[in-house]
Amino acid sequence: MAEHKQIDDLLGDLAARDMASSGWLRRFDKLKEKYLHHIKEEEQEQFVAAEKTLSDADLKHLRSVFERRKREEKSEAKITKKLKRT
């Protein structure tokens, strides 16, 4: 959850900045690094561990909940342009 919040904050920070500014690309690289680390951790550690532990019925239920929430969150998503003080 904390990593999701950090990524959301970085996205908002980038959205609020001019892409031509000198720091934009550095901030984008920081976001990319955090995002790729997070995805790797989830896919290679957490999801693998869950698949070993959960029953097929549990996995099916979690997939359906995930897909439903993803659709809901995407439909409600708004870009909040917020500069991060550095």
Side-chain angles (χ1 to χ4, degrees):
M1 296 279 280
E3 287 181 349
H4 285 228
K5 170 88 170 85
Q6 289 174 342
I7 290 169
D8 286 344
D9 289 347
L10 287 168
L11 284 168
D13 182 58
L14 283 174
R17 294 182 184 276
D18 180 357
M19 288 177 68
S21 69
S22 62
W24 194 92
L25 193 54
R26 282 191 310 275
R27 286 179 170 82
F28 176 81
D29 286 339
K30 182 178 178 179
L31 167 65
K32 179 181 171 185
E33 181 182 324
K34 281 195 173 291
Y35 177 76
L36 291 176
H37 166 79
H38 178 73
I39 294 300
K40 181 181 177 184
E41 192 174 72
E42 280 187 344
E43 290 181 353
Q44 293 180 357
E45 296 172 21
Q46 296 169 351
F47 294 165
V48 171
E51 285 182 334
K52 290 178 182 177
T53 306
L54 299 172
S55 70
D56 288 342
D58 289 335
L59 290 170
K60 183 177 178 181
H61 173 72
L62 286 173
R63 282 188 190 104
S64 70
V65 169
F66 175 79
E67 289 300 324
R68 177 183 50 79
R69 288 194 57 199
K70 184 168 76 170
R71 282 191 305 274
E72 290 170 359
E73 289 180 21
K74 283 176 83 173
S75 71
E76 297 170 1
K78 295 180 179 88
I79 294 176
T80 303
K81 296 181 178 186
K82 182 178 178 183
L83 290 176
K84 183 178 177 185
R85 297 179 192 251
T86 55

